Amino acid sequence: MQGIKENPLGAAPVPRLMLKFAIPSIIAMLVGALYNIVDQLFIGQAVGTLGNAATNIAFPLSTSCLALALLFGIGGASCFNLTMGKGERETAAYYVGNAVSMLLICGLTLAAISQIFLTPLLRAFGAPNDVLPYAQDYVRITAFGFPFMLLTTGGGHLIRADGSPKMTMICNLTGAIINTILDAFFVMVLKMGMQGAALATVIGQVISALIVVIYMTRYKTVSLQKKHFGVKWKYTKRIISIGTASFFNQLAMMVVQIVLNNSLKHYGELSVYGEAIPLACAGIVMKVNQVFFSIVIGIGQGSQPIESFSYGARKYPRVRETFRLAMFAGGSISLLSFILFQLFPRQIIAMFGSGSESYYQFGISYFKVFLFFTFLNFMQPITSTFFTSIGKPVKGIFLSLTRQILFLLPLVVILPLFMGIDGILYAGPIADVLAAVATGIMAAMEFRSMRKLEKSL
């Protein structure tokens, strides 16, 4: 017990720990979002509306990479911290090694599938005929970076679990800076278009992944050996069970995005906007919103090691304090994002290239209507991560599915039948309100149960 008491995760002031873990996590998540934002900024300026639409069509593959990275990254990190909180160091090392191996295996598998079934996948994602060639040029190259993207994103969570959040930040920042510089050179100077943006992305991901690999040879809290990286089902199963909530959250986003793209294509063709404008605008709005969402997710991930260790050590007041602090920070960011999205939508859209007045009209409506309840959207990801952190993946999975699958997906399908393309816009705020209500109820019930556990000690 003495080792547990001396561990900073169980003893240091929670606000200070939150700053230590959340800020690097936020930066790491922002960097991941900026990979897509930077590509879209340069593509929008150099290629135009069709290029913007193509990056939106290709985005489900990036989301699938993130889903797998979170499955084994957050799953492995949570298992590691929970096990370390119980004082089981040798078992904890196997969780890290198995997570790293699965990240690499899944990345290689996804890259192969993307190359073999490229055109059918892009068609399924909603690519119109005039957008398809741009999306093909982009994905043919970015698919080679999938193993490195998974290793960077998932490995970052494992590095943070080792008490090195700054190194996670360095891994991601290095790749993002390289990507930005090469994007400018390949796209704007060499005029390589979609292929140049894709190549810049892959090179940045390779460099970041190399840093992760080097760190794994010098893991601090446990000594990682070759035997720890051999995939064993008893460890991988636990990692998957814990990481499934984060995985399904991203997978749900991917499914909704595919349905959304096809709906935008179909109802856009029936409207004054045509097929490409709704796809291009939705891609811009989604990626800008991802910046906000990345901050919120980063806050949740920053709270994860503290919540996991404290819950494993039965320090329930620290768990509650960490959760409350994360919710306050997430709520503040959400309110600021709401103000920006409502007051400056045209200025934000203009950053991604020029377009017709119809282009701006649809983009502004998408920002103002679809994201109207942005100030509530911090609740679901932070609470879902909380359930994962305390080893209750089933609740985390259910909560991660509420907004995307249970609410948004049916609304995206049903409302346009009566309202046309405007129905897609109104599906967003309705789903947000319903998800916030479900989150509030589940969080209140869990903390009531936690107080009972505390009284029984």
Side-chain angles (χ1 to χ4, degrees), residues 14 66-67 131 148 264 305 346 406:
V14 170
L66 183 57
V131 175
F148 304 101
L264 288 167
R346 188 181 184 97
L406 298 182

Side-chain angles (χ1 to χ4, degrees), residues 5-191:
K5 291 180 181 178
E6 293 176 350
N7 192 307
L9 288 173
V14 170
R16 191 172 72 193
L17 285 173
M18 279 291 292
L19 286 174
K20 177 184 177 182
F21 285 96
I23 291 177
S25 298
I26 290 168
I27 293 175
M29 289 300 301
L30 277 175
V31 167
L34 289 175
Y35 265 108
N36 295 300
I37 286 284
V38 168
D39 278 358
Q40 186 127 17
L41 281 169
F42 284 108
I43 287 170
Q45 296 293 334
V47 181
T49 301
L50 293 179
N52 277 330
T55 59
N56 188 28
I57 292 298
F59 198 55
L61 287 173
S62 296
T63 306
S64 65
C65 282
L66 183 57
L68 290 167
L70 296 181
L71 175 64
F72 294 104
I74 288 183
S78 295
C79 288
F80 175 79
N81 288 130
L82 284 166
T83 308
M84 288 292 285
K86 297 175 183 177
E88 302 171 5
R89 295 173 61 87
E90 178 61 21
T91 301
Y94 279 101
Y95 284 121
V96 176
N98 275 245
V100 171
S101 296
M102 289 305 300
L103 287 167
L104 187 58
I105 292 170
C106 290
L108 291 170
T109 303
L110 185 60
I113 292 172
S114 300
Q115 294 288 358
I116 295 170
F117 302 104
L118 177 62
T119 300
L121 284 172
L122 295 177
R123 287 290 190 190
F125 296 163
N129 291 330
D130 54 350
V131 175
L132 181 63
Y134 295 93
Q136 289 172 325
D137 286 345
Y138 188 71
V139 176
R140 278 196 187 100
I141 296 174
T142 56
F144 287 105
F146 289 168
F148 304 101
M149 180 180 178
L150 261 74
L151 199 55
T152 299
T153 306
H157 296 292
L158 300 172
I159 291 172
R160 189 178 65 251
D162 191 40
S164 300
K166 289 183 180 178
M167 182 53 67
T168 300
M169 179 179 66
I170 290 171
C171 291
N172 288 278
L173 271 178
T174 301
I177 292 170
I178 291 172
N179 177 44
T180 302
I181 295 171
L182 293 181
D183 254 329
F185 182 66
F186 290 157
V187 178
M188 306 305 292
V189 178
L190 298 184
K191 308 296 183 183

Side-chain angles (χ1 to χ4, degrees), residues 76-368:
S78 295
C79 288
F80 175 79
N81 288 130
L82 284 166
T83 308
M84 288 292 285
K86 297 175 183 177
E88 302 171 5
R89 295 173 61 87
E90 178 61 21
T91 301
Y94 279 101
Y95 284 121
V96 176
N98 275 245
V100 171
S101 296
M102 289 305 300
L103 287 167
L104 187 58
I105 292 170
C106 290
L108 291 170
T109 303
L110 185 60
I113 292 172
S114 300
Q115 294 288 358
I116 295 170
F117 302 104
L118 177 62
T119 300
L121 284 172
L122 295 177
R123 287 290 190 190
F125 296 163
N129 291 330
D130 54 350
V131 175
L132 181 63
Y134 295 93
Q136 289 172 325
D137 286 345
Y138 188 71
V139 176
R140 278 196 187 100
I141 296 174
T142 56
F144 287 105
F146 289 168
F148 304 101
M149 180 180 178
L150 261 74
L151 199 55
T152 299
T153 306
H157 296 292
L158 300 172
I159 291 172
R160 189 178 65 251
D162 191 40
S164 300
K166 289 183 180 178
M167 182 53 67
T168 300
M169 179 179 66
I170 290 171
C171 291
N172 288 278
L173 271 178
T174 301
I177 292 170
I178 291 172
N179 177 44
T180 302
I181 295 171
L182 293 181
D183 254 329
F185 182 66
F186 290 157
V187 178
M188 306 305 292
V189 178
L190 298 184
K191 308 296 183 183
M192 293 176 64
M194 304 295 295
Q195 294 177 341
L199 184 59
T201 297
V202 172
I203 293 174
Q205 290 168 345
V206 169
I207 300 299
S208 293
L210 286 175
I211 298 174
V212 171
V213 171
I214 292 171
Y215 183 91
M216 289 298 163
T217 65
R218 304 172 183 177
Y219 215 69
K220 296 189 307 182
T221 50
V222 296
S223 176
L224 295 178
Q225 303 172 21
K226 185 178 179 180
K227 64 179 182 180
H228 297 134
F229 293 91
V231 177
K232 296 185 178 180
W233 178 238
K234 67 177 180 178
Y235 300 116
T236 304
K237 179 175 66 173
R238 178 62 174 164
I239 291 170
I240 291 173
S241 69
I242 295 294
T244 298
S246 299
F247 171 77
F248 271 120
N249 192 36
Q250 294 297 319
L251 196 66
M253 291 174 64
M254 184 183 74
V255 171
V256 170
Q257 186 180 8
I258 293 171
V259 174
L260 189 61
N261 283 348
N262 281 281
S263 296
L264 288 167
K265 174 187 173 184
H266 175 72
Y267 291 102
E269 186 180 16
L270 300 177
S271 71
V272 296
Y273 303 112
E275 291 179 326
I277 285 177
L279 285 170
C281 291
I284 291 170
V285 173
M286 187 173 301
K287 288 175 184 177
V288 171
N289 186 49
Q290 190 189 23
V291 173
F292 144 72
F293 223 65
S294 295
I295 298 174
V296 173
I297 292 174
I299 292 169
Q301 291 174 356
S303 67
Q304 176 266 314
I306 312 167
E307 291 171 343
S308 292
F309 189 95
S310 299
Y311 195 84
R314 299 183 180 181
K315 296 187 176 183
Y316 301 122
R318 288 179 64 82
V319 177
R320 288 196 297 272
E321 183 182 0
T322 304
F323 179 79
R324 284 196 296 265
L325 192 56
M327 291 290 275
F328 175 78
S332 301
I333 293 298
S334 299
L335 182 59
L336 177 61
S337 300
F338 167 77
I339 293 171
L340 291 175
F341 294 164
Q342 292 297 315
L343 296 183
F344 305 107
R346 188 181 184 97
Q347 291 84 342
I348 296 173
I349 294 168
M351 294 169 59
F352 296 87
S354 59
S356 64
E357 189 56 37
S358 296
Y359 170 80
Y360 284 110
Q361 180 183 347
F362 186 81
I364 291 169
S365 296
Y366 208 98
F367 260 120
K368 288 192 170 185

